[in-house]
Structures are given as C-alpha cells and as structure tokens.
Amino acid sequence: VIFILGQMSAGDSRHNAPPSSSNKNSSYARIQPRGDPDEHRQAMAEEMELQNSHLISERRRRNTQAAARMRERQKERERSLLQHRDELVAKMKKLEAELASARSQREQHEGKYTA
C-alpha cells in the first residue's frame, strides 16, 4: 500500500477511512461492521476467559509439580541430615568409650606407682 498525500493506491479503497462530510461524492467505500458488536465483544471475552483459565490451570499444574519436587528435596535433605547426625553420634560414642578406656588405663597405671 502506497500513501501519497493521504490517498491510497487504486484498488485499496476498502481500507480507507469513511469520507468526511465535506466530501460526500468520494469514491471511497464506507466500512460496514459485520455481525452484532455486542456478540463479538462477548465472544472475545469468553475466549479470553477460556485462555486465562487454561493459563491459570497450566500455571497451577506447574506450581503443583514444583512444590512436589521441593517437598522431595526437603525430605532428602532431612534424611541426609539425620544420617549425618547418626554418624556423628556413633563417632561420639566411640570416642567416649576410648576416653573412658584411656582414663581407666591411666588410673591403673597411676595406682601401680602410688601403692
């Protein structure tokens, strides 16, 4: 489409604006609306609502999946921490037993020299 001083090239008059009141003998055709505008608005609103509801349900589905993955990561982290705690408790008990044994040996050793 070529615009020259506000006019369009031949054959494209259907896209031009309606003629002004001062130019009633214009060769430009007036665009007529098709169908009922209210029905069109309602159909568009319903379509947008359907798209929005689809987007919302898709967002909810993805959020539910993400929440499930997060819960699983939290459970795995808790299991790991509990395992680490159990390892530390076992190591502590072993060290306490070694300490008690060393103290016992020391007391026996000191008892030999004090008697």
Side-chain angles (χ1 to χ4, degrees):
V1 179
I2 301 173
F3 288 95
I4 302 174
L5 299 174
Q7 295 181 1
M8 297 178 70
S9 62
D12 289 334
S13 64
R14 68 176 192 258
H15 295 293
N16 209 0
S20 65
S21 60
S22 64
N23 191 4
K24 292 186 179 185
N25 293 329
S26 175
S27 63
Y28 299 121
R30 186 161 191 182
I31 298 174
Q32 296 295 321
R34 291 182 235 159
D36 184 13
D38 291 332
E39 287 178 9
H40 178 71
R41 272 190 224 96
Q42 183 175 357
M44 290 301 293
E46 289 171 1
E47 178 67 23
M48 290 299 293
E49 185 177 325
L50 182 63
Q51 287 176 356
N52 288 340
S53 101
H54 176 69
L55 291 174
I56 289 170
S57 65
E58 178 65 19
R59 190 178 310 140
R60 284 181 181 156
R61 184 186 64 78
R62 286 192 316 248
N63 189 48
T64 300
Q65 290 174 344
R69 288 190 303 269
M70 183 63 176
R71 285 190 300 273
E72 188 57 39
R73 282 193 302 267
Q74 287 174 336
K75 288 177 186 177
E76 180 58 36
R77 183 172 185 269
E78 185 178 358
R79 284 190 292 266
S80 174
L81 288 172
L82 289 172
Q83 181 181 358
H84 185 63
R85 181 204 62 186
D86 292 343
E87 291 169 359
L88 290 175
V89 167
K91 185 176 181 180
M92 182 184 70
K93 287 181 180 181
K94 179 183 172 193
L95 290 172
E96 286 176 345
E98 287 179 14
L99 179 61
S101 174
R103 285 181 177 161
S104 164
Q105 288 176 1
R106 185 185 73 191
E107 288 173 4
Q108 289 174 0
H109 184 66
E110 288 176 355
K112 288 181 184 178
Y113 292 109
T114 57

